[in-house]
Amino acid sequence: MGEKLSWGMILLSMAQQFLPVWIALVATYLLSIRYKRRLGLYGKLFDSPVGMIGFGIVMFWVFTAIFADLIITHDPLGQLSGLKNAVPGSALKAPKEGDYLHYLLGGDHLARDVFSRMVMGARRVLAIAPAATAFAFMVGVTLGLPAGYFGGKLDTTLSFFANLVLAFPVILLFYLLVTPEIRVTGIPTYLAAVLFIFPVIFFCTLFNSRFFTNPPKRNLYVGVTLLIGLWAYSGLAFNADPLGVWSMDPNLLNVFVSVVFVNSPTVFRIVRGIVMDLKARDYVAAGQTRGEGPWYIMLWEILPNARGPLIVDFCLRIGYTTILLGTLGFFGLGVSPESPDWGSTIDDGRKLLSIFPHPALAPALALMSLVLGLNLLADGLREESLKD
Amino acid sequence: MLYFILRRFGVMLLTALALTFIVFYLTNLPPNLEKLAKSEASARMTDEDVASWIEKNGYATPVLRRYGEWLGVMPGWTMLQEDGTTRGRCIAVGSDPAAAPRFCGLVQGTWGKSTVFKEPVQKILGRGLSQTAWLMLAVMLVMVPTSLLLGVLSGMREGSKLDRVLSTIAIASTATPEYVSGVILVALFASATAGLSPILADWGWISGKTLFQGTATSAMDDITFWNFALPVATIALYGIGYIARMTRASMTEVMTQQYIRTARLKGVAFRDVILRHALRNALIAPFTVIMLQFPWLLNGVVIVETLFNYKGFGWTLVQAAGNNDIELLLGCSVVAVLVVLVTQLMSDIGYVFLNPRIRLS
């Protein structure tokens, strides 16, 4: 039986476990700073200290998610006897050959390793949050562009529906949408069927408006988009992929769809606002005089000019989505009860919070640092994109 | 102006109807009704029993009709039973069917009965809301002055060291959702084994075991600083950052205006420029933001009341949703939707009054 570790030793051992992350981080920074003048907005990020710190924190968690298998010290679901609610640095009671000798951040109420669960949680969170945000952006952009550009009845109708969703208290919506019962009724699948088609529509319109004067090229691009898009669509929304490559766990689909559904009206409003501002510009009038179609102007003239605020909002929104996922986990509505995602772990840990704070504290600090990093990154990006 | 308010009111009513219908539809889905039947009658019912229970209790009619009944614009269902008595939505058990009103719904003030608490929904909601009102009041008293002060101080001299520090604090506070800050605050101040409390107890600075209390259950009878500080701080912390950033943006914009420069050049002291000229104009935008914070606070209230076990409105909502208490959940959502819509309306109208540059006609 080993000794209990002191706090200094715990920190040192954790730093050692994160070794692959440190290497990857240093490599990223060296390469980025070396070539920063050629990297556009991304390169400029390295001129702003705030942006650099934010980017560092975000990349730390991204690399943690990637290398999670190398970093973890124990199976995140494995329970070892005698380590229930063990304090940080506790030694294993009966280590087997090849076992890591300590629970670095202690054990939770089921005697699982808090450190490994936190690291694996990063993978769960970073697999869902950016993807859900991207989908929300596809929906918001595809609907917000025409609403802002054409205005009129279309705008009134879409805005009404967006405001409807926004007026919903988020937690109530989650409680109604993310329940085991609702899966029986198929509502998540219908929602997914509507929401997941938007990326396909977006890319088809994008290529069609650009290349419709050149039919062979247009047919190639749109054809490939349709092929891959509808293939993924059939698998993700209906779980009916003939080849079985794309599929989504029904529970995960439920959570994913709800988060996209909650986020897209806000994106819609932002895009609509920007388009209404930009459509009065001279280059739009010039495009209209040249006889360009409305979708070409929206997608290839207005959208690239709106990228600054949209990129900034994308970063902020990943953070917000992370918070939403945590909220879901906190109310026990998360992906699955065993899942190591941060929200559920905080929920597990809060029952014994005032006696054993460490099982809840580790994921709480992890979540906070990731969101803080994303916020700082967005702040840096905003500062740098305003300098142009 | 009147037309504007009327139109806004119309849209609000339409939104309220649409939202309540969605909630009604989602809470009255067949699986939820089945669960209700099983929890109300018996857990070991056969599928036919469940179907007949649903039929007997008026849940088998089309959903739009049931929504109308619940709202009180359609007559409640009645049903002649085999033993000759009449059952109905508006007929209390054991009372005379002829004397019962035809309509009984939200409009008539009949909100139904909670299946979990065995009490009328209105009574539970009233109790919960009064508890939450105290929490909200305390949060507002802490949050609004703090965030405005932070925002004005950092927006007053953009780019200064003070601005940098305060902006970073604001960002950090928006990055910390309630369930994270709550956990950290409890671990720091209300844990007998970690954080500050054991140290302070060792030094003999505090008489009890912990600096603050980790649950707010006792605050329901008697609010003290000891049991109420942590929940209030948890909710306020998340909002402070956001309002402070909005105030800062608005303040920096005002500080670049010509009239501020004129006042400075006239020789007015910097303090007087801020207090007399800048502040009033800078506080228009944050007003809207503060009003729109109410719906956000609702989220915070649900999380914090669950975390600190304070039995207010948010706690009631969680209980209703978790236990498939349909009528209570519907009541909760009516309140929640009303809060959101009324604050939106108030912020719109208030904005028009505060900002003379907006002309409606």
Side-chain angles (χ1 to χ4, degrees):
Chain A
M1 196 175 140
E3 302 248 316
K4 186 179 164 304
L5 293 181
S6 66
W7 271 106
M9 282 302 289
I10 293 173
L11 289 180
L12 215 66
S13 316
M14 283 205 306
Q16 198 186 348
Q17 283 300 312
F18 278 119
L19 192 66
V21 175
W22 303 132
I23 296 172
L25 266 184
V26 170
T28 316
Y29 267 78
L30 284 181
L31 284 173
S32 303
I33 293 175
R34 176 90 177 68
Y35 296 107
K36 71 175 174 187
R37 290 286 155 254
R38 286 190 233 161
L39 291 170
L41 184 62
Y42 169 73
K44 281 203 203 122
L45 192 63
F46 291 86
D47 291 334
S48 136
V50 173
M52 241 157 78
I53 295 171
F55 183 70
I57 300 174
V58 173
M59 287 320 281
F60 172 83
W61 286 113
V62 171
F63 288 131
T64 304
I66 294 173
F67 300 122
D69 291 323
L70 298 173
I71 299 169
I72 53 168
T73 49
H74 294 276
D75 175 15
L77 300 180
Q79 308 176 352
L80 294 179
S81 66
L83 287 171
K84 185 173 164 188
N85 293 321
V87 292
S90 296
L92 260 57
K93 289 273 185 300
K96 285 196 282 296
E97 188 69 32
D99 268 355
Y100 196 83
L101 288 174
H102 297 90
Y103 266 14
L104 284 176
L105 289 177
D108 65 4
H109 68 298
L110 292 174
R112 297 172 296 197
D113 183 27
V114 172
F115 175 74
S116 305
R117 284 179 74 74
M118 182 190 79
V119 170
M120 270 312 193
R123 181 174 274 187
R124 292 314 285 254
V125 169
L126 284 167
I128 304 174
T133 314
F135 268 97
F137 258 76
M138 286 285 137
V139 178
V141 168
T142 316
L143 292 176
L145 284 175
Y149 188 78
F150 295 121
K153 282 236 169 61
L154 178 78
D155 180 29
T156 317
T157 319
L158 286 175
S159 293
F160 177 75
F161 282 110
N163 288 338
L164 203 65
V165 180
L166 286 176
F168 240 116
V170 182
I171 291 192
L172 184 63
L173 196 66
F174 279 158
Y175 257 118
L176 294 174
L177 280 181
V178 191
T179 55
E181 284 85 36
I182 206 151
R183 246 169 286 138
V184 186
T185 63
I187 287 179
T189 316
Y190 301 140
L191 265 180
V194 175
L195 293 174
F196 288 1
I197 197 74
F198 278 101
V200 183
I201 298 178
F202 176 80
F203 282 108
C204 283
T205 336
L206 186 75
F207 292 130
N208 186 44
S209 62
R210 173 91 193 210
F211 298 115
F212 74 102
T213 47
N214 182 356
K217 207 167 177 184
R218 189 262 311 259
N219 292 346
L220 175 73
Y221 280 128
V222 174
V224 169
T225 311
L226 277 176
L227 191 73
I228 298 178
L230 292 180
W231 179 31
Y233 178 68
S234 68
L236 293 180
F238 302 107
N239 213 355
D241 176 15
L243 301 176
V245 177
W246 303 92
S247 74
M248 216 184 220
D249 173 55
N251 215 338
L252 180 65
L253 180 81
N254 201 340
V255 169
F256 195 86
V257 165
S258 313
V259 172
V260 174
F261 186 69
V262 169
N263 265 324
S264 35
T266 326
V267 181
F268 165 83
R269 290 238 294 219
I270 293 169
V271 174
R272 174 178 165 270
I274 297 174
V275 173
M276 282 167 98
D277 176 31
L278 289 184
K279 79 173 175 187
R281 298 289 167 90
D282 287 343
Y283 58 80
V284 175
Q288 285 163 341
T289 330
R290 280 200 297 272
E292 287 164 2
W295 284 99
Y296 182 83
I297 295 178
M298 279 183 245
L299 289 166
W300 292 93
E301 310 250 25
I302 294 180
L303 194 58
N305 281 295
R307 68 179 187 283
L310 287 185
I311 292 174
V312 171
D313 187 69
F314 189 72
C315 287
L316 285 177
R317 202 146 290 283
I318 296 179
Y320 181 61
T321 312
T322 313
I323 292 180
L324 279 184
L325 286 172
T327 312
L328 274 173
F330 181 78
F331 285 107
L333 303 168
V335 182
S336 76
E338 279 276 272
S339 154
D341 79 274
W342 292 335
S344 317
T345 326
I346 295 174
D347 180 41
D348 283 344
R350 78 185 161 90
K351 278 136 209 159
L352 292 171
L353 194 57
S354 52
I355 311 162
F356 302 110
H358 60 272
L361 215 49
L365 290 174
L367 191 141
M368 184 180 132
S369 66
L370 174 63
V371 179
L372 181 65
L374 284 162
N375 276 294
L376 291 175
L377 176 63
D379 226 49
L381 281 171
R382 180 178 327 168
E383 235 169 65
E384 292 304 317
S385 69
L386 281 180
K387 276 188 188 163
D388 294 339
Chain B
M1 184 71 201
L2 192 68
Y3 175 71
F4 166 76
I5 294 180
L6 276 179
R7 226 192 80 174
R8 285 286 328 190
F9 210 74
V11 174
M12 190 184 116
L13 212 63
L14 193 65
T15 317
L17 280 178
L19 284 178
T20 45
F21 178 71
I22 296 172
V23 179
F24 188 86
Y25 178 75
L26 287 174
T27 44
N28 278 276
L29 286 170
N32 287 339
L33 292 178
E34 258 170 54
K35 218 162 96 181
L36 180 74
K38 282 184 179 159
S39 67
E40 284 297 281
S42 133
R44 278 192 284 275
M45 279 158 98
T46 59
D47 285 354
E48 289 93 69
D49 285 345
V50 169
S52 88
W53 188 91
I54 286 175
E55 168 91 42
K56 258 194 202 148
N57 286 281
Y59 289 115
T61 45
V63 68
L64 256 177
R65 196 200 138 112
R66 268 183 287 145
Y67 176 66
E69 287 174 4
W70 172 75
L71 208 58
V73 295
M74 299 234 315
W77 54 270
T78 52
M79 202 178 291
L80 199 63
Q81 276 179 312
E82 284 150 14
D83 56 358
T85 52
T86 317
R87 279 164 58 88
R89 182 187 156 82
C90 307
I91 306 167
V93 180
S95 71
D96 181 19
R102 246 161 67 72
F103 297 90
C104 57
L106 213 57
V107 185
Q108 285 81 21
T110 316
W111 291 42
K113 202 178 155 198
S114 157
T115 52
V116 176
F117 298 101
K118 311 286 179 208
E119 270 184 296
V121 168
Q122 275 143 306
K123 210 171 144 196
I124 303 170
L125 282 181
R127 205 169 48 213
L129 281 172
S130 70
Q131 299 288 357
T132 302
W134 285 112
L135 186 63
M136 285 289 224
L137 180 73
V139 168
M140 281 293 165
L141 285 180
V142 173
M143 187 173 78
V144 174
T146 318
S147 52
L148 290 183
L149 189 69
L150 280 181
V152 168
L153 282 180
S154 69
M156 163 173 103
R157 286 202 182 92
E158 198 189 359
S160 66
K161 209 166 248 164
L162 183 70
D163 176 28
R164 288 273 170 202
V165 173
L166 291 181
S167 294
T168 315
I169 293 176
I171 291 180
S173 112
T174 43
T176 319
E178 290 92 351
Y179 52 88
V180 170
S181 51
V183 163
I184 294 174
L185 286 177
V186 169
L188 213 54
F189 297 117
S191 161
T193 54
L196 293 176
S197 300
I199 304 171
L200 290 179
D202 263 4
W203 290 348
W205 284 20
I206 45 174
S207 50
K209 267 196 171 150
T210 58
L211 191 54
F212 292 109
Q213 207 176 13
T215 71
T217 318
S218 58
M220 287 188 296
D221 304 318
D222 176 33
I223 294 173
T224 59
F225 186 64
W226 185 55
N227 59 25
F228 219 45
L230 289 187
V232 170
T234 308
I235 304 184
L237 209 60
Y238 192 45
I240 283 175
Y242 188 65
I243 302 181
R245 285 176 91 176
M246 291 294 151
T247 316
R248 175 184 177 274
S250 160
M251 189 72 187
T252 47
E253 203 195 309
V254 168
M255 289 309 281
T256 58
Q257 298 287 320
Q258 295 290 335
Y259 57 82
I260 297 292
R261 192 194 295 172
T262 314
R264 285 292 284 152
L265 291 177
K266 245 174 15 182
V268 182
F270 188 70
R271 215 188 64 174
D272 289 347
V273 174
I274 299 288
L275 290 178
R276 294 230 182 103
H277 300 260
L279 213 53
R280 244 194 78 168
N281 289 301
L283 291 184
I284 294 174
F287 169 77
T288 330
V289 177
I290 293 171
M291 290 308 288
L292 291 178
Q293 277 286 308
F294 270 101
W296 280 64
L297 282 181
L298 209 64
N299 268 339
V301 162
V302 177
I303 294 173
V304 164
E305 286 184 0
T306 312
L307 187 64
F308 288 96
N309 207 12
Y310 182 74
K311 297 188 172 86
F313 175 73
W315 183 84
T316 312
L317 196 153
V318 171
Q319 292 301 316
N323 293 310
N324 194 39
D325 191 340
I326 295 179
E327 305 254 272
L328 184 58
L329 187 57
L330 280 169
C332 284
S333 46
V334 169
V335 172
V337 164
L338 275 184
V339 167
V340 173
L341 292 178
V342 169
T343 46
Q344 276 181 2
L345 189 72
M346 272 162 66
S347 85
D348 277 8
I349 296 173
Y351 194 67
V352 172
F353 272 116
L354 278 179
N355 195 345
R357 273 169 296 185
I358 293 181
R359 293 269 175 272
L360 290 165
S361 43

